[in-house]
Amino acid sequence: MANATFLLSAGGSIVFGGSLIVEPGRTVPKVVELCIKTIEARGLETAGVYRVSGHMASIQNLKRAFNDGSLDVERLIEKEPDINTIAALLKLYFRDLREPLMLFEFYPSFIAAADISDYNEKLYTIKSLVHSLPESNFNTLKYLMMHLGRVQDQYHTTKMDSANLAICFAPNLLRQEVDDLTSIINTGKQSSIIDTLIEQREWVFDPYPEEDEEVEGEQVEEAEPADQVEQVDQTETALVGEQSWEEDPGLDEYDHGNSYGEQVHLLQDEHLDDQSAHHEDAESNSVFTKQQLQHDNINPLDPS
């Protein structure tokens, strides 16, 4: 992650309509922490939280209190009876940021990631982009996504799943600098990125293991994305002709002390000898899956 940069507007630390500012002693902006803690304390039983509008007059009063630097904002938030007003205030904060939380310069890369057809590659690309954000942006995005995950976990009462939450938050978090027709065209892709961040929040925000870092003498390996059909442990097979290694009764003869390449050649020789004995012509091909390369600790994002 890049180092955090705290920017102040010309008129001081404007909260709504200014830059992302994390106050001293905090890891996320005060307004974000106050709103989220309040919603989690008394809003997870509210159906349609973040989808239902709040009271506009109350929202504007709270916004003004934050921008005026009122010392009474915590009490005002606590006394606000309508949880949808607090939820709307949080969305407004992100929408009013001078530069979106996920940054203008990252917008094309996130949109391009949404177009990646291979799901695992898409996840690794999104994770790389997220970890490239400035520290304050990364921490705030993580704090928000973990919260939205907890809202989704209470779907039986909130009726808000990751897709619904993504629709509510995507335009506020991920937008381009100039609003034009492409903004409308890319709406679905923006939501797709936020949906993925909510669903895969634990893995996406988990730090990359340090290179060659060891714990108790064992190499630390990065966890795989959760709940994916294309998991490495489900697809670690290489095909020889029409027969997979998993189904080859002779595999045990070769699977110790040999590389994947050596195993393929040994299996090919055995098949060719058998085919020659029966005077049949055949061609043996080996196919390595992308997941096997990942199993061999080859990073799909490594340009080398």
Side-chain angles (χ1 to χ4, degrees):
M1 290 177 293
N3 291 330
T5 301
F6 303 115
L7 300 176
L8 297 180
S9 66
S13 54
I14 296 177
V15 177
F16 287 79
S19 300
L20 182 72
I21 299 170
V22 178
E23 298 84 355
R26 297 180 179 273
T27 57
V28 301
K30 181 178 181 179
V31 60
V32 173
E33 184 177 346
L34 286 178
C35 288
I36 285 178
K37 284 185 174 180
T38 300
I39 292 167
E40 293 194 355
R42 53 188 175 94
L44 296 184
E45 302 295 321
T46 303
V49 63
Y50 289 120
R51 188 178 67 235
V52 179
S53 301
H55 297 297
M56 184 56 64
S58 299
I59 294 170
Q60 292 303 318
N61 287 337
L62 289 169
K63 172 181 175 179
R64 189 178 306 110
F66 275 102
N67 275 357
D68 289 345
S70 171
L71 300 177
D72 213 21
V73 289
E74 292 187 36
R75 186 182 66 85
L76 293 174
I77 290 285
E78 184 180 344
K79 287 184 64 176
E80 172 55 49
D82 181 26
I83 201 66
N84 291 314
T85 293
I86 306 299
L89 184 71
L90 181 63
K91 290 192 295 180
L92 179 64
Y93 168 74
F94 287 115
R95 182 164 66 250
D96 279 0
L97 281 175
R98 187 173 302 166
E99 180 157 3
L101 184 62
M102 297 170 74
L103 303 183
F104 289 132
E105 65 179 291
F106 282 73
Y107 180 85
S109 298
F110 276 117
I111 294 302
D115 281 330
I116 297 175
S117 57
D118 182 273
Y119 192 74
N120 281 342
E121 183 181 349
K122 175 181 177 179
L123 288 179
Y124 278 103
T125 302
I126 291 173
K127 178 167 183 169
S128 177
L129 289 168
V130 166
H131 282 260
S132 298
L133 291 169
E135 184 178 3
S136 54
N137 297 66
F138 175 90
N139 289 339
T140 304
L141 184 63
K142 177 181 178 179
Y143 192 82
L144 176 62
M145 292 302 116
M146 295 300 175
H147 162 64
L148 295 181
R150 290 188 286 272
V151 173
Q152 176 187 237
D153 291 343
Q154 298 298 317
Y155 177 80
H156 62 284
T157 55
T158 65
K159 307 304 179 185
M160 296 293 287
D161 59 14
S162 61
N164 289 329
L165 292 165
I167 291 171
C168 292
F169 273 91
N172 305 322
L173 303 176
L174 183 61
R175 64 180 189 272
Q176 60 185 13
E177 193 163 5
V178 179
D179 269 337
D180 55 22
L181 184 60
T182 59
S183 298
I184 300 174
I185 295 174
N186 290 331
T187 298
K189 297 176 184 179
Q190 293 168 212
S191 295
S192 171
I193 294 296
I194 304 304
D195 190 353
T196 300
L197 290 180
I198 297 171
E199 287 288 345
Q200 297 290 344
R201 57 193 179 278
E202 299 290 347
W203 180 82
V204 168
F205 292 98
D206 188 53
Y208 284 109
E210 291 296 326
E211 192 171 351
D212 298 328
E213 179 183 0
E214 294 186 3
V215 176
E216 297 180 357
E218 295 185 1
Q219 186 70 28
V220 176
E221 294 184 0
E222 183 180 358
E224 289 297 320
D227 301 323
Q228 297 310 317
V229 175
E230 297 181 17
Q231 290 285 341
V232 173
D233 61 352
Q234 294 176 351
T235 56
E236 271 180 7
T237 59
L239 301 182
V240 180
E242 295 181 355
Q243 185 175 25
S244 73
W245 288 8
E246 288 181 339
E247 298 171 348
D248 194 327
L251 177 59
D252 290 340
E253 300 176 29
Y254 310 111
D255 63 359
H256 297 292
N258 292 313
S259 67
Y260 282 135
E262 292 170 334
Q263 293 171 15
V264 170
H265 288 308
L266 287 168
L267 287 171
Q268 287 176 329
D269 290 344
E270 180 178 306
H271 276 266
L272 289 174
D273 289 343
D274 183 66
Q275 290 163 353
S276 176
H278 292 82
H279 303 287
E280 296 177 354
D281 293 326
E283 184 176 23
S284 295
N285 298 309
S286 63
V287 178
F288 285 96
T289 67
K290 173 184 173 182
Q291 285 73 17
Q292 287 173 308
L293 296 179
Q294 294 173 346
H295 180 72
D296 285 341
N297 295 321
I298 299 176
N299 190 342
L301 297 177
D302 189 349
S304 61

CSV table of all heavy atoms in Angstrom, one decimal, residues 182-233:
chain,number,residue,atom,x,y,z
A,182,THR,N,-20.4,6.7,-20.7
A,182,THR,CA,-19.7,5.5,-20.2
A,182,THR,C,-20.0,5.3,-18.7
A,182,THR,O,-19.9,4.1,-18.3
A,182,THR,CB,-18.2,5.6,-20.4
A,182,THR,OG1,-17.7,6.8,-19.7
A,182,THR,CG2,-17.8,5.8,-21.9
A,183,SER,N,-20.3,6.3,-18.0
A,183,SER,CA,-20.6,6.1,-16.5
A,183,SER,C,-21.8,5.3,-16.4
A,183,SER,O,-21.9,4.4,-15.5
A,183,SER,CB,-20.8,7.5,-15.9
A,183,SER,OG,-19.7,8.3,-15.9
A,184,ILE,N,-22.8,5.5,-17.3
A,184,ILE,CA,-24.0,4.7,-17.2
A,184,ILE,C,-23.8,3.3,-17.8
A,184,ILE,O,-24.2,2.3,-17.2
A,184,ILE,CB,-25.1,5.4,-18.1
A,184,ILE,CG1,-25.4,6.8,-17.6
A,184,ILE,CG2,-26.4,4.5,-18.1
A,184,ILE,CD1,-26.4,7.6,-18.4
A,185,ILE,N,-23.0,3.2,-18.8
A,185,ILE,CA,-22.6,1.9,-19.4
A,185,ILE,C,-21.9,1.0,-18.4
A,185,ILE,O,-22.1,-0.2,-18.3
A,185,ILE,CB,-21.8,2.1,-20.7
A,185,ILE,CG1,-22.6,2.8,-21.7
A,185,ILE,CG2,-21.3,0.7,-21.2
A,185,ILE,CD1,-21.8,3.2,-23.0
A,186,ASN,N,-21.0,1.6,-17.6
A,186,ASN,CA,-20.2,0.9,-16.6
A,186,ASN,C,-20.9,0.6,-15.3
A,186,ASN,O,-20.2,0.1,-14.4
A,186,ASN,CB,-18.9,1.6,-16.4
A,186,ASN,CG,-18.0,1.5,-17.7
A,186,ASN,OD1,-18.1,0.6,-18.5
A,186,ASN,ND2,-17.1,2.5,-17.9
A,187,THR,N,-22.1,1.0,-15.1
A,187,THR,CA,-22.8,0.9,-13.8
A,187,THR,C,-22.7,-0.6,-13.3
A,187,THR,O,-22.4,-0.8,-12.2
A,187,THR,CB,-24.2,1.4,-13.9
A,187,THR,OG1,-24.2,2.8,-14.2
A,187,THR,CG2,-24.9,1.2,-12.6
A,188,GLY,N,-23.0,-1.5,-14.2
A,188,GLY,CA,-23.0,-2.9,-13.8
A,188,GLY,C,-21.7,-3.4,-13.4
A,188,GLY,O,-21.5,-4.2,-12.5
A,189,LYS,N,-20.6,-2.9,-14.1
A,189,LYS,CA,-19.3,-3.3,-13.8
A,189,LYS,C,-18.8,-2.8,-12.4
A,189,LYS,O,-18.1,-3.4,-11.7
A,189,LYS,CB,-18.3,-2.9,-14.9
A,189,LYS,CG,-18.6,-3.5,-16.2
A,189,LYS,CD,-17.7,-2.9,-17.3
A,189,LYS,CE,-18.1,-3.5,-18.7
A,189,LYS,NZ,-17.2,-3.0,-19.8
A,190,GLN,N,-19.2,-1.5,-12.1
A,190,GLN,CA,-18.9,-0.9,-10.8
A,190,GLN,C,-19.5,-1.8,-9.7
A,190,GLN,O,-18.9,-2.1,-8.7
A,190,GLN,CB,-19.5,0.5,-10.8
A,190,GLN,CG,-18.8,1.5,-11.7
A,190,GLN,CD,-19.5,2.8,-11.8
A,190,GLN,OE1,-19.5,3.5,-12.9
A,190,GLN,NE2,-20.2,3.2,-10.8
A,191,SER,N,-20.8,-2.1,-9.9
A,191,SER,CA,-21.5,-2.9,-8.9
A,191,SER,C,-20.8,-4.3,-8.8
A,191,SER,O,-20.7,-4.8,-7.6
A,191,SER,CB,-23.0,-3.1,-9.3
A,191,SER,OG,-23.6,-1.9,-9.2
A,192,SER,N,-20.4,-4.9,-9.9
A,192,SER,CA,-19.7,-6.2,-9.8
A,192,SER,C,-18.5,-6.1,-9.0
A,192,SER,O,-18.2,-7.1,-8.2
A,192,SER,CB,-19.4,-6.6,-11.2
A,192,SER,OG,-18.5,-7.8,-11.2
A,193,ILE,N,-17.7,-5.1,-9.1
A,193,ILE,CA,-16.5,-4.9,-8.3
A,193,ILE,C,-16.8,-4.8,-6.8
A,193,ILE,O,-16.2,-5.5,-5.9
A,193,ILE,CB,-15.7,-3.7,-8.7
A,193,ILE,CG1,-15.1,-3.8,-10.1
A,193,ILE,CG2,-14.5,-3.4,-7.7
A,193,ILE,CD1,-14.1,-5.0,-10.3
A,194,ILE,N,-17.8,-4.0,-6.4
A,194,ILE,CA,-18.1,-3.9,-5.0
A,194,ILE,C,-18.8,-5.2,-4.5
A,194,ILE,O,-18.5,-5.6,-3.3
A,194,ILE,CB,-19.1,-2.7,-4.8
A,194,ILE,CG1,-18.5,-1.4,-5.3
A,194,ILE,CG2,-19.5,-2.5,-3.3
A,194,ILE,CD1,-17.1,-1.1,-4.8
A,195,ASP,N,-19.6,-5.8,-5.3
A,195,ASP,CA,-20.2,-7.1,-4.9
A,195,ASP,C,-19.0,-8.1,-4.6
A,195,ASP,O,-19.1,-8.8,-3.6
A,195,ASP,CB,-21.0,-7.6,-6.0
A,195,ASP,CG,-21.9,-8.8,-5.6
A,195,ASP,OD1,-21.7,-9.4,-4.5
A,195,ASP,OD2,-22.7,-9.3,-6.5
A,196,THR,N,-18.0,-8.1,-5.4
A,196,THR,CA,-16.9,-9.1,-5.2
A,196,THR,C,-16.2,-8.7,-3.9
A,196,THR,O,-15.7,-9.6,-3.2
A,196,THR,CB,-15.9,-9.0,-6.4
A,196,THR,OG1,-16.6,-9.4,-7.6
A,196,THR,CG2,-14.7,-9.9,-6.2
A,197,LEU,N,-16.0,-7.4,-3.7
A,197,LEU,CA,-15.3,-7.0,-2.4
A,197,LEU,C,-16.0,-7.4,-1.2
A,197,LEU,O,-15.4,-7.8,-0.2
A,197,LEU,CB,-15.1,-5.5,-2.4
A,197,LEU,CG,-14.1,-4.9,-3.5
A,197,LEU,CD1,-14.0,-3.4,-3.3
A,197,LEU,CD2,-12.7,-5.5,-3.3
A,198,ILE,N,-17.3,-7.4,-1.2
A,198,ILE,CA,-18.1,-7.8,-0.1
A,198,ILE,C,-18.1,-9.3,0.1
A,198,ILE,O,-17.8,-9.8,1.2
A,198,ILE,CB,-19.6,-7.3,-0.2
A,198,ILE,CG1,-19.7,-5.8,-0.3
A,198,ILE,CG2,-20.4,-7.9,0.9
A,198,ILE,CD1,-21.1,-5.3,-0.6
A,199,GLU,N,-18.3,-10.0,-1.0
A,199,GLU,CA,-18.3,-11.5,-0.9
A,199,GLU,C,-16.9,-12.1,-0.6
A,199,GLU,O,-16.8,-13.1,0.2
A,199,GLU,CB,-18.7,-12.1,-2.3
A,199,GLU,CG,-20.2,-11.9,-2.6
A,199,GLU,CD,-21.1,-12.8,-1.8
A,199,GLU,OE1,-20.5,-13.8,-1.2
A,199,GLU,OE2,-22.3,-12.6,-1.7
A,200,GLN,N,-15.9,-11.5,-1.1
A,200,GLN,CA,-14.5,-12.0,-0.8
A,200,GLN,C,-13.7,-11.1,0.1
A,200,GLN,O,-12.5,-11.0,0.0
A,200,GLN,CB,-13.8,-12.1,-2.2
A,200,GLN,CG,-14.4,-13.1,-3.2
A,200,GLN,CD,-14.3,-14.5,-2.7
A,200,GLN,OE1,-13.4,-14.8,-1.8
A,200,GLN,NE2,-15.0,-15.5,-3.3
A,201,ARG,N,-14.4,-10.4,1.0
A,201,ARG,CA,-13.7,-9.4,1.8
A,201,ARG,C,-12.5,-9.9,2.6
A,201,ARG,O,-11.5,-9.3,2.8
A,201,ARG,CB,-14.7,-8.7,2.7
A,201,ARG,CG,-15.5,-9.6,3.6
A,201,ARG,CD,-16.7,-9.0,4.3
A,201,ARG,NE,-17.5,-9.9,5.1
A,201,ARG,CZ,-18.3,-10.7,4.7
A,201,ARG,NH1,-18.6,-10.8,3.4
A,201,ARG,NH2,-19.0,-11.5,5.6
A,202,GLU,N,-12.7,-11.1,3.2
A,202,GLU,CA,-11.7,-11.6,4.1
A,202,GLU,C,-10.4,-11.9,3.3
A,202,GLU,O,-9.3,-11.6,3.7
A,202,GLU,CB,-12.1,-12.9,4.8
A,202,GLU,CG,-13.3,-12.8,5.7
A,202,GLU,CD,-13.0,-12.0,6.9
A,202,GLU,OE1,-11.8,-11.8,7.2
A,202,GLU,OE2,-13.9,-11.5,7.6
A,203,TRP,N,-10.6,-12.5,2.1
A,203,TRP,CA,-9.4,-12.8,1.3
A,203,TRP,C,-8.8,-11.6,0.6
A,203,TRP,O,-7.6,-11.4,0.6
A,203,TRP,CB,-9.8,-13.9,0.2
A,203,TRP,CG,-8.7,-14.3,-0.7
A,203,TRP,CD1,-7.7,-15.2,-0.4
A,203,TRP,CD2,-8.4,-13.7,-2.0
A,203,TRP,NE1,-6.8,-15.2,-1.5
A,203,TRP,CE2,-7.2,-14.4,-2.4
A,203,TRP,CE3,-9.0,-12.8,-2.8
A,203,TRP,CZ2,-6.6,-14.1,-3.7
A,203,TRP,CZ3,-8.4,-12.5,-4.0
A,203,TRP,CH2,-7.3,-13.1,-4.4
A,204,VAL,N,-9.6,-10.7,0.1
A,204,VAL,CA,-9.1,-9.5,-0.6
A,204,VAL,C,-8.3,-8.7,0.3
A,204,VAL,O,-7.2,-8.2,-0.1
A,204,VAL,CB,-10.3,-8.7,-1.3
A,204,VAL,CG1,-9.8,-7.4,-1.7
A,204,VAL,CG2,-10.9,-9.5,-2.4
A,205,PHE,N,-8.8,-8.4,1.5
A,205,PHE,CA,-8.1,-7.5,2.4
A,205,PHE,C,-7.0,-8.2,3.3
A,205,PHE,O,-6.3,-7.5,4.0
A,205,PHE,CB,-9.1,-6.8,3.3
A,205,PHE,CG,-10.0,-5.8,2.5
A,205,PHE,CD1,-11.2,-6.2,2.1
A,205,PHE,CD2,-9.5,-4.6,2.1
A,205,PHE,CE1,-12.0,-5.3,1.3
A,205,PHE,CE2,-10.3,-3.7,1.3
A,205,PHE,CZ,-11.5,-4.1,0.9
A,206,ASP,N,-7.0,-9.5,3.2
A,206,ASP,CA,-5.9,-10.2,3.9
A,206,ASP,C,-4.6,-9.8,3.3
A,206,ASP,O,-4.4,-9.8,2.1
A,206,ASP,CB,-6.1,-11.7,3.8
A,206,ASP,CG,-5.2,-12.5,4.7
A,206,ASP,OD1,-5.1,-12.2,5.9
A,206,ASP,OD2,-4.5,-13.4,4.2
A,207,PRO,N,-3.6,-9.4,4.2
A,207,PRO,CA,-2.3,-9.0,3.6
A,207,PRO,C,-1.6,-10.1,2.9
A,207,PRO,O,-1.7,-11.3,3.1
A,207,PRO,CB,-1.5,-8.5,4.9
A,207,PRO,CG,-2.1,-9.3,6.0
A,207,PRO,CD,-3.6,-9.4,5.6
A,208,TYR,N,-0.8,-9.7,1.9
A,208,TYR,CA,0.0,-10.6,1.2
A,208,TYR,C,1.1,-11.1,2.1
A,208,TYR,O,1.7,-10.4,2.9
A,208,TYR,CB,0.7,-9.9,0.0
A,208,TYR,CG,-0.1,-9.7,-1.2
A,208,TYR,CD1,-0.5,-8.4,-1.6
A,208,TYR,CD2,-0.6,-10.7,-2.0
A,208,TYR,CE1,-1.3,-8.2,-2.7
A,208,TYR,CE2,-1.4,-10.5,-3.1
A,208,TYR,CZ,-1.8,-9.2,-3.4
A,208,TYR,OH,-2.5,-9.0,-4.5
A,209,PRO,N,1.4,-12.4,2.1
A,209,PRO,CA,2.5,-13.0,2.9
A,209,PRO,C,3.8,-12.4,2.5
A,209,PRO,O,4.0,-12.2,1.3
A,209,PRO,CB,2.4,-14.5,2.8
A,209,PRO,CG,1.7,-14.7,1.4
A,209,PRO,CD,0.8,-13.5,1.3
A,210,GLU,N,4.7,-12.1,3.4
A,210,GLU,CA,6.0,-11.6,3.1
A,210,GLU,C,6.8,-12.7,2.3
A,210,GLU,O,6.7,-13.9,2.6
A,210,GLU,CB,6.8,-11.2,4.3
A,210,GLU,CG,6.3,-10.0,5.0
A,210,GLU,CD,6.4,-8.8,4.2
A,210,GLU,OE1,7.4,-8.7,3.4
A,210,GLU,OE2,5.5,-7.9,4.3
A,211,GLU,N,7.5,-12.3,1.3
A,211,GLU,CA,8.3,-13.3,0.5
A,211,GLU,C,9.3,-14.1,1.4
A,211,GLU,O,10.0,-13.5,2.2
A,211,GLU,CB,9.0,-12.6,-0.6
A,211,GLU,CG,9.6,-13.5,-1.6
A,211,GLU,CD,10.1,-12.7,-2.8
A,211,GLU,OE1,9.9,-11.5,-2.9
A,211,GLU,OE2,10.8,-13.4,-3.6
A,212,ASP,N,9.3,-15.4,1.3
A,212,ASP,CA,10.1,-16.3,2.0
A,212,ASP,C,9.9,-16.2,3.5
A,212,ASP,O,10.7,-16.7,4.3
A,212,ASP,CB,11.6,-15.9,1.8
A,212,ASP,CG,12.0,-16.1,0.3
A,212,ASP,OD1,11.4,-17.0,-0.3
A,212,ASP,OD2,12.9,-15.4,-0.1
A,213,GLU,N,8.7,-15.7,3.9
A,213,GLU,CA,8.4,-15.7,5.4
A,213,GLU,C,8.0,-17.1,5.8
A,213,GLU,O,7.3,-17.8,5.1
A,213,GLU,CB,7.2,-14.7,5.6
A,213,GLU,CG,6.8,-14.6,7.1
A,213,GLU,CD,5.6,-13.8,7.3
A,213,GLU,OE1,5.1,-13.2,6.3
A,213,GLU,OE2,5.2,-13.6,8.5
A,214,GLU,N,8.5,-17.4,7.0
A,214,GLU,CA,8.2,-18.8,7.5
A,214,GLU,C,7.6,-18.7,8.9
A,214,GLU,O,8.0,-17.8,9.7
A,214,GLU,CB,9.5,-19.6,7.5
A,214,GLU,CG,10.0,-19.9,6.1
A,214,GLU,CD,11.2,-20.9,6.2
A,214,GLU,OE1,11.5,-21.4,7.3
A,214,GLU,OE2,11.7,-21.2,5.1
A,215,VAL,N,6.7,-19.6,9.2
A,215,VAL,CA,6.1,-19.6,10.5
A,215,VAL,C,6.3,-21.1,11.0
A,215,VAL,O,5.8,-22.0,10.4
A,215,VAL,CB,4.6,-19.3,10.5
A,215,VAL,CG1,4.0,-19.5,11.9
A,215,VAL,CG2,4.4,-17.8,10.1
A,216,GLU,N,7.0,-21.2,12.1
A,216,GLU,CA,7.3,-22.5,12.7
A,216,GLU,C,7.9,-23.5,11.7
A,216,GLU,O,7.5,-24.7,11.6
A,216,GLU,CB,6.0,-23.1,13.3
A,216,GLU,CG,5.4,-22.3,14.5
A,216,GLU,CD,4.2,-22.9,15.0
A,216,GLU,OE1,3.7,-24.0,14.5
A,216,GLU,OE2,3.6,-22.4,16.0
A,217,GLY,N,8.8,-22.9,10.9
A,217,GLY,CA,9.5,-23.7,9.9
A,217,GLY,C,8.8,-24.1,8.7
A,217,GLY,O,9.3,-24.8,7.8
A,218,GLU,N,7.5,-23.6,8.5
A,218,GLU,CA,6.7,-23.9,7.4
A,218,GLU,C,6.5,-22.7,6.5
A,218,GLU,O,6.3,-21.6,7.1
A,218,GLU,CB,5.4,-24.5,7.7
A,218,GLU,CG,5.5,-25.9,8.4
A,218,GLU,CD,4.1,-26.5,8.7
A,218,GLU,OE1,3.1,-25.8,8.3
A,218,GLU,OE2,4.1,-27.6,9.3
A,219,GLN,N,6.5,-22.9,5.2
A,219,GLN,CA,6.3,-21.7,4.3
A,219,GLN,C,4.9,-21.2,4.4
A,219,GLN,O,4.0,-22.0,4.4
A,219,GLN,CB,6.6,-22.2,2.9
A,219,GLN,CG,6.6,-21.0,1.9
A,219,GLN,CD,7.8,-20.1,2.0
A,219,GLN,OE1,8.8,-20.5,2.5
A,219,GLN,NE2,7.6,-18.8,1.7
A,220,VAL,N,4.7,-19.9,4.5
A,220,VAL,CA,3.4,-19.3,4.6
A,220,VAL,C,2.9,-19.2,3.2
A,220,VAL,O,3.5,-18.7,2.3
A,220,VAL,CB,3.5,-17.9,5.2
A,220,VAL,CG1,2.1,-17.3,5.2
A,220,VAL,CG2,4.0,-18.0,6.7
A,221,GLU,N,1.7,-19.7,3.0
A,221,GLU,CA,1.0,-19.6,1.7
A,221,GLU,C,-0.2,-18.8,1.8
A,221,GLU,O,-1.0,-18.8,2.8
A,221,GLU,CB,0.6,-21.0,1.2
A,221,GLU,CG,1.8,-21.9,0.9
A,221,GLU,CD,1.4,-23.3,0.3
A,221,GLU,OE1,0.2,-23.5,0.1
A,221,GLU,OE2,2.3,-24.1,0.0
A,222,GLU,N,-0.5,-18.0,0.7
A,222,GLU,CA,-1.6,-17.1,0.7
A,222,GLU,C,-2.9,-17.9,0.6
A,222,GLU,O,-3.0,-18.9,-0.2
A,222,GLU,CB,-1.5,-16.1,-0.5
A,222,GLU,CG,-2.7,-15.1,-0.5
A,222,GLU,CD,-2.5,-14.2,-1.7
A,222,GLU,OE1,-1.6,-14.3,-2.4
A,222,GLU,OE2,-3.5,-13.4,-1.8
A,223,ALA,N,-3.9,-17.6,1.4
A,223,ALA,CA,-5.2,-18.3,1.3
A,223,ALA,C,-5.8,-18.1,0.0
A,223,ALA,O,-5.7,-17.1,-0.7
A,223,ALA,CB,-6.1,-17.8,2.4
A,224,GLU,N,-6.6,-19.1,-0.4
A,224,GLU,CA,-7.3,-19.1,-1.7
A,224,GLU,C,-8.7,-18.4,-1.5
A,224,GLU,O,-9.2,-18.4,-0.4
A,224,GLU,CB,-7.6,-20.5,-2.2
A,224,GLU,CG,-6.3,-21.2,-2.7
A,224,GLU,CD,-5.7,-20.5,-3.9
A,224,GLU,OE1,-6.5,-20.0,-4.8
A,224,GLU,OE2,-4.5,-20.4,-3.9
A,225,PRO,N,-9.2,-17.7,-2.5
A,225,PRO,CA,-10.5,-17.1,-2.4
A,225,PRO,C,-11.6,-18.1,-2.0
A,225,PRO,O,-11.5,-19.3,-2.3
A,225,PRO,CB,-10.8,-16.6,-3.9
A,225,PRO,CG,-9.4,-16.5,-4.5
A,225,PRO,CD,-8.6,-17.6,-3.8
A,226,ALA,N,-12.6,-17.7,-1.2
A,226,ALA,CA,-13.5,-18.6,-0.7
A,226,ALA,C,-14.6,-19.0,-1.6
A,226,ALA,O,-15.0,-18.2,-2.5
A,226,ALA,CB,-14.2,-18.0,0.6
A,227,ASP,N,-15.2,-20.2,-1.5
A,227,ASP,CA,-16.4,-20.6,-2.2
A,227,ASP,C,-16.3,-20.5,-3.7
A,227,ASP,O,-17.3,-20.1,-4.3
A,227,ASP,CB,-17.6,-19.8,-1.7
A,227,ASP,CG,-17.8,-20.0,-0.2
A,227,ASP,OD1,-17.5,-21.1,0.3
A,227,ASP,OD2,-18.1,-19.1,0.5
A,228,GLN,N,-15.2,-20.9,-4.3
A,228,GLN,CA,-15.1,-20.8,-5.7
A,228,GLN,C,-15.1,-22.2,-6.3
A,228,GLN,O,-14.5,-23.1,-5.8
A,228,GLN,CB,-13.8,-20.1,-6.2
A,228,GLN,CG,-13.8,-18.6,-5.7
A,228,GLN,CD,-15.1,-17.9,-6.0
A,228,GLN,OE1,-15.6,-18.1,-7.2
A,228,GLN,NE2,-15.7,-17.2,-5.1
A,229,VAL,N,-15.8,-22.4,-7.4
A,229,VAL,CA,-15.8,-23.6,-8.1
A,229,VAL,C,-14.4,-24.0,-8.6
A,229,VAL,O,-14.1,-25.2,-8.6
A,229,VAL,CB,-16.8,-23.6,-9.3
A,229,VAL,CG1,-16.8,-24.9,-10.1
A,229,VAL,CG2,-18.2,-23.3,-8.8
A,230,GLU,N,-13.7,-23.0,-9.0
A,230,GLU,CA,-12.4,-23.3,-9.6
A,230,GLU,C,-11.3,-23.3,-8.6
A,230,GLU,O,-10.2,-22.8,-8.8
A,230,GLU,CB,-12.1,-22.3,-10.7
A,230,GLU,CG,-13.0,-22.3,-11.8
A,230,GLU,CD,-12.7,-21.2,-12.9
A,230,GLU,OE1,-11.5,-20.7,-12.9
A,230,GLU,OE2,-13.5,-21.0,-13.7
A,231,GLN,N,-11.5,-23.9,-7.4
A,231,GLN,CA,-10.5,-24.0,-6.4
A,231,GLN,C,-9.4,-24.9,-6.8
A,231,GLN,O,-9.6,-25.8,-7.6
A,231,GLN,CB,-11.1,-24.6,-5.1
A,231,GLN,CG,-12.1,-23.6,-4.4
A,231,GLN,CD,-11.4,-22.5,-3.6
A,231,GLN,OE1,-10.2,-22.7,-3.4
A,231,GLN,NE2,-12.0,-21.5,-3.4
A,232,VAL,N,-8.2,-24.6,-6.4
A,232,VAL,CA,-7.0,-25.4,-6.7
A,232,VAL,C,-7.2,-26.8,-6.3
A,232,VAL,O,-6.9,-27.8,-7.0
A,232,VAL,CB,-5.7,-24.8,-6.1
A,232,VAL,CG1,-4.6,-25.7,-6.3
A,232,VAL,CG2,-5.4,-23.4,-6.7
A,233,ASP,N,-7.8,-27.0,-5.1
A,233,ASP,CA,-7.9,-28.4,-4.6
A,233,ASP,C,-9.0,-29.2,-5.3
A,233,ASP,O,-9.1,-30.4,-5.1
A,233,ASP,CB,-8.2,-28.3,-3.1
A,233,ASP,CG,-9.5,-27.6,-2.7
A,233,ASP,OD1,-10.1,-27.0,-3.6
A,233,ASP,OD2,-9.9,-27.7,-1.5
